[in-house]
Amino acid sequence: MRKVGFFNSIHVKFVLIYVMLILLALQIIGLNFSRGLEQTLKKNFTTSIEDRINLVEFSVREEMLKERPSDDPSLESSLRTVLTGFSSADINEVLVIDSKYRILASSVLDHQKTLVGRKSTEDIVKRAIISETPSPQVIKYSKKTDGRVLIRAFPIMNGSEVIGALYVESNIEKVFTQIDQINRILAGSAAVSLTITIIIGIFIAQTFTRPISDMRRQAQAMAKGNFSRKVRVYGNDEMGQLAIAFNHLTNQLLESQSTTEAERRKLASVLENMTDGVISTDRKGRVSLINDSALNMLGMTSDLVLNRPITNLLGIEKEYSFEDLIEMRESIPLDFSTETEPSILRATFSVTQRETGFVNGLIIVLHDNTEQEKIDMERREFVSNVSHELRTPLTTMRSYLEALADGAWKNEDIAPAFLNVTQTETERMIRLVNDLLKLSRMDSNEYELNTEWVDFSTFFNSIIDRFEFSKSEDVSFRRIIPPEDLFVEIDTDKLTQVIDNIISNALKYSPDGGIVRFHVAVLEDSIRVSISDEGLGIPPSNVNRIFDRFYRADKARSRAMGGTGLGLAIAKEMINAHGGRIWAHSVEGEGTTILFTLPYEQHDEGEWDV
C-alpha cells in the first residue's frame, strides 16, 4: 500500500482544521472586540467632550447675552477667561464664533492675536449655525499635533435664535493609541493561545488518529493474510467501539478464511478423485479450472488448457459458440478416438451466475462413455472366455473318461492318475462357476456387506502372519504398517478373500529369494494398502487390464497354477463395494504392486474441544 503523504495525513488535516477554526474564531472575536472597543472609546471620548462643551456653551452664552457696547473689549476678555477655565489636555482649541462667522475668542493664547476678529471659513461652523444643530463629527490628521483630531461645531442658542457657535478641536489620537495597544495585547494573546491550541490539537488528533493508524496497519496485515494481529482498544468511545468491531471483523474473516480454505481443499479433493472430468470457464468462455480426470480424458496438460476457449478445447468451435453453450440444455457427444484407442465422451453444460442473473461462466462435466461403447464387445469376449474356460477342463475330462470307459479303469497304474486329473478339472470348474456366481451377484447387487468396525493394522497383520507361517522359505516378507489403531468399517470375510487373492498371486509370481512387501499409508480420507512382489511384472500396455475378467498376463503359466482369471476382477468389485478403489503399478522385469484404498475418517480431538 502506498505511503500517505504528509499533507494527506488525517492527523495533519485534523490539526490544520482545528487550528484554522480556532484562528477563525480568534479573528472574529478580535475583530468584534476591536470594533466594539473603538466605538466605545470614541463614544466615551465624544460624550466627555460634549459634557464639557455644554458647560462652556452655557458660560459663553451668558457672556454673549450680557448688555455691553458692541465695541466693548471686555467681551473678548471674558470669553477668553471662560475658555481658559475649561482648557484640558484632550481639547486642543475652542473657538467662539458669532452668528456672522466672526471669531470672538480662542482658548489658545497664541491664536488670540492671529484669529480673533477674523471670519471663520470652516464649513462645519456654517452648517451648525444654519442648521441650528451640532455638526457631525469630523476626524482628520493635524500636522500641528502630528495626530488625529476630532472637530465639531455646536450652535449657541438663545431660545430659538442662534447667536453664535463653538468650534471645538479635541485630541482623539490618544483613543486610537489605546486601541492600538489593546490590539497588540490581543494579537499577542491570540498568538500564545494559537500556539497552545496547536500543541493541544496535536495531542487531541493523536487520540483519534492512533486507533485509525492501528486499523490501517491491521488492514495491511490482513491484506497479506495475517489475521493474528489485533487493534488496540484505547477507550470505550466511538473509536474504541470501532476498534472492537474491527477486531470482531478480523475474527470473522479468519473463521471465514479457514472455512473457505477447508471447503477449497474439499473441493480440490473431490475434483481430484472424481472419475468424471470437470472444466470451469470464466464469463468469456476461457478455461479457468480443470481437474485431472478431464486432462486425462482430453490427453492434455494444464498449461495447454488454461485460458483456452472452451469451444476450441472441445473441438466444437465450428458447430457451437460460447453463447450457444450457455443456452445448451442437453448433453452433446464428443469423439476423441484415435486409430489405436477409442475415446467417446459426453459433455453436460451448466451455467454459473449471480443472483442478479449475470453469467459468471460455465461448468462442463465430461463423462467417459467409452466403456459403454465397449459393453457389447466385452459381453462377446466374456461369453467367449467362459466358453473357453469351461471347454478346456470338459475336453480333458471327456478324454480321460473315454479312456477309462474303454478299459483304462482296469489298469491300476493309469486309472488313479486319470481319476485324479478328472477330479482336479472338476474342482477347477467348480471354482470357476463359484467365481462366476459371485461376480453375477455383485453385478446385480444381490449381496450385502456384513460390515463391522475393525482395527485394520491388526486385521492385516493377522492375514500376513497366516501366509508367513505356511509360505515357502525362499520368499521373505517385509512390512511397513502403522502401529496405531486404524479403525475401518469392512466386511472381514470379503476383504480377507481380496487380500488372500492378492497375496496368493504375489507368492505365485515371486521368484526364489524374492521379497513380498506390505505397506499401509494413511491418506486424508482413506487408507492405502499396497502389496508388492518381485516377479516378472506386466507390460505397461496391459497393467490396467489385469482387473478385467478372465485376463491373464501369462495365460499358460496362470492355467498351469490353477487360476481362473477372475480373482482380481472379484477383488475389484469387493473393494468398490467398500467405497474404495484398486489399481496396479508394474515394471516389466522388476515386479508388480497391487494397491487399494478403503474409506477412513481421521478423528481430530481438537475439533471436539469447547
Side-chain angles (χ1 to χ4, degrees):
M1 185 178 291
R2 187 176 62 181
K3 186 177 180 181
V4 178
F6 178 79
F7 289 102
N8 291 329
S9 171
I10 191 173
H11 193 143
V12 176
K13 289 181 179 179
F14 183 89
V15 174
L16 288 177
I17 293 173
Y18 180 73
V19 170
M20 290 176 65
L21 290 175
I22 296 298
L23 183 60
L24 179 62
L26 289 175
Q27 288 291 333
I28 294 173
I29 294 172
L31 182 61
N32 290 334
F33 178 79
S34 178
R35 286 183 178 179
L37 179 64
E38 182 178 353
Q39 292 175 358
T40 301
L41 291 177
K42 285 182 179 179
K43 184 177 180 181
N44 292 339
F45 181 81
T46 56
T47 301
S48 175
I49 296 299
E50 289 176 357
D51 290 342
R52 283 179 284 174
I53 291 301
N54 288 335
L55 295 176
V56 173
E57 188 264 341
F58 175 78
S59 298
V60 170
R61 183 174 63 247
E62 291 297 323
E63 292 294 333
M64 291 178 67
L65 292 176
K66 286 182 179 180
E67 295 183 2
R68 55 171 63 93
S70 59
D71 57 350
D72 186 2
S74 61
L75 175 60
E76 296 178 1
S77 175
S78 300
L79 291 176
R80 184 171 60 251
T81 302
V82 171
L83 296 178
T84 304
F86 286 94
S87 62
S88 63
D90 53 356
I91 296 178
N92 295 335
E93 184 177 15
V94 179
L95 297 177
V96 179
I97 304 169
D98 62 13
S99 59
K100 296 180 180 180
Y101 311 116
R102 186 171 63 89
I103 299 174
L104 301 179
S106 173
S107 62
V108 178
L109 185 61
D110 295 339
H111 290 174
Q112 283 292 118
K113 298 178 181 180
T114 58
L115 293 179
V116 173
R118 293 185 179 184
K119 282 192 174 184
S120 174
T121 59
E122 296 292 338
D123 292 338
I124 61 173
V125 174
K126 296 178 181 179
R127 188 179 304 171
I129 293 173
I130 294 171
S131 64
E132 300 180 0
T133 58
S135 67
Q137 296 178 2
V138 177
I139 298 176
K140 65 180 182 178
Y141 178 75
S142 174
K143 293 182 179 180
K144 292 184 295 183
T145 60
D146 191 21
R148 283 164 285 192
V149 294
L150 174 66
I151 300 174
R152 293 197 69 181
F154 299 90
I156 301 173
M157 305 294 295
N158 180 22
S160 59
E161 180 185 1
V162 178
I163 61 174
L166 289 177
Y167 174 85
V168 183
E169 180 181 308
S170 56
N171 185 12
I172 200 173
E173 183 65 30
K174 293 181 179 180
V175 173
F176 288 100
T177 302
Q178 291 177 355
I179 293 173
D180 291 339
Q181 291 176 349
I182 294 173
N183 285 338
R184 284 195 292 272
I185 294 172
L186 183 63
S189 301
V192 174
S193 301
L194 194 60
T195 302
I196 297 174
T197 298
I198 292 174
I199 297 173
I200 296 175
I202 292 173
F203 286 104
I204 293 176
Q206 286 181 348
T207 61
F208 288 97
T209 58
R210 188 183 296 115
I212 295 174
S213 298
D214 286 350
M215 284 184 277
R216 175 176 174 270
R217 287 190 291 270
Q218 171 64 5
Q220 291 175 336
M222 289 167 60
K224 296 178 181 179
N226 180 13
F227 293 91
S228 60
R229 190 177 180 274
K230 302 298 180 184
V231 177
R232 181 179 176 183
V233 180
Y234 291 93
N236 197 30
D237 55 4
E238 288 82 355
M239 296 301 296
Q241 294 296 322
L242 179 60
I244 294 173
F246 199 88
N247 289 334
H248 179 68
L249 175 62
T250 302
N251 294 332
Q252 292 296 107
L253 288 175
L254 179 60
E255 293 179 5
S256 298
Q257 185 193 43
S258 301
T259 302
T260 303
E261 182 64 19
E263 293 299 326
R264 187 192 65 79
R265 291 180 180 177
K266 289 179 182 178
L267 178 60
S269 177
V270 169
L271 291 176
E272 182 180 354
N273 293 284
M274 282 183 65
T275 55
D276 286 342
V278 178
I279 304 174
S280 176
T281 73
D282 58 18
R283 61 186 181 87
K284 295 183 179 180
R286 297 186 178 274
V287 176
S288 59
L289 175 68
I290 185 169
N291 67 348
D292 292 340
S293 297
L295 291 174
N296 292 334
M297 292 179 184
L298 299 175
M300 298 182 181
T301 57
S302 59
D303 57 336
L304 298 176
V305 172
L306 295 178
N307 295 322
R308 185 173 171 181
I310 186 63
T311 53
N312 178 265
L313 177 65
L314 300 180
I316 56 175
E317 65 271 17
K318 295 181 180 180
E319 295 85 3
Y320 304 97
S321 65
F322 179 67
E323 289 73 17
D324 295 334
L325 298 183
I326 292 176
E327 301 296 330
M328 188 71 65
R329 295 294 178 268
E330 297 180 357
S331 59
I332 61 175
L334 304 172
D335 190 354
F336 287 90
S337 301
T338 62
E339 295 180 357
T340 58
E341 185 176 357
S343 178
I344 307 298
L345 307 179
R346 182 161 290 276
T348 304
F349 302 91
S350 176
V351 179
T352 59
Q353 57 188 25
R354 300 177 183 172
E355 294 180 356
T356 58
F358 181 80
V359 175
N360 286 332
L362 276 178
I363 299 294
I364 300 94
V365 178
L366 299 179
H367 181 68
D368 191 350
N369 273 9
T370 306
E371 295 299 324
Q372 189 70 25
E373 299 294 329
K374 294 180 180 179
I375 288 177
D376 292 338
M377 182 181 66
E378 290 181 352
R379 286 176 179 174
R380 290 191 295 271
E381 184 180 356
F382 178 75
V383 172
S384 175
N385 285 331
V386 171
S387 300
H388 180 77
E389 294 295 333
L390 290 175
R391 183 178 59 188
T392 300
L394 286 174
T395 301
T396 302
M397 290 173 61
R398 185 179 67 179
S399 300
Y400 281 95
L401 289 174
E402 287 177 351
L404 290 172
D406 290 342
W409 62 275
K410 296 179 182 180
N411 189 329
E412 296 181 356
D413 294 330
I414 298 176
F418 282 14
L419 291 173
N420 185 49
V421 171
T422 303
Q423 182 180 4
T424 300
E425 294 298 325
T426 302
E427 291 175 353
R428 179 180 169 187
M429 283 192 296
I430 292 173
R431 290 197 304 272
L432 176 60
V433 172
N434 287 335
D435 287 346
L436 288 173
L437 289 174
K438 289 178 183 178
L439 287 173
S440 177
R441 286 195 296 270
M442 291 179 182
D443 289 340
S444 60
N445 293 324
E446 293 180 357
Y447 75 101
E448 294 182 358
L449 296 179
N450 297 318
T451 60
E452 59 181 315
W453 288 97
V454 176
D455 176 13
F456 188 81
S457 297
T458 304
F459 170 74
F460 194 31
N461 277 316
S462 65
I463 297 176
I464 298 172
D465 291 341
R466 174 163 49 82
F467 275 92
E468 191 172 28
F469 179 76
S470 59
K471 71 176 177 62
S472 170
E473 295 181 358
D474 294 333
V475 179
S476 59
F477 285 0
R478 297 288 186 273
R479 312 183 197 190
I480 303 177
I481 301 175
E484 65 268 15
D485 296 338
L486 301 175
F487 282 95
V488 292
E489 190 176 12
I490 59 174
D491 186 324
T492 56
D493 291 339
K494 290 181 173 57
L495 204 60
T496 298
Q497 182 180 354
V498 171
I499 298 175
D500 283 353
N501 199 321
I502 297 173
I503 296 177
S504 297
N505 286 341
L507 291 175
K508 286 178 184 179
Y509 296 107
S510 291
D512 293 341
I515 300 174
V516 177
R517 293 179 171 84
F518 306 91
H519 182 256
V520 176
V522 179
L523 305 181
E524 185 175 354
D525 56 358
S526 62
I527 60 172
R528 184 183 63 202
V529 182
S530 62
I531 301 172
S532 306
D533 62 50
E534 296 181 345
L536 298 177
I538 304 170
S541 59
N542 296 333
V543 171
N544 293 331
R545 298 190 59 198
I546 65 173
F547 297 100
D548 295 346
R549 299 172 186 185
F550 296 109
Y551 176 81
R552 294 184 177 89
D554 186 347
K555 295 184 179 180
R557 185 178 179 187
S558 296
R559 287 196 178 93
M561 293 181 177
T564 64
L566 297 176
L568 289 180
I570 294 173
K572 179 180 179 181
E573 296 294 337
M574 290 184 176
I575 292 298
N576 289 341
H578 279 80
R581 68 186 187 98
I582 187 169
W583 69 100
H585 291 311
S586 183
V587 179
E588 200 168 4
E590 295 184 9
T592 302
T593 300
I594 305 297
L595 305 97
F596 65 87
T597 62
L598 293 172
Y600 172 67
E601 296 183 2
Q602 301 187 47
H603 297 290
D604 189 355
E605 294 181 359
E607 296 180 356
W608 299 90
D609 293 343
V610 178

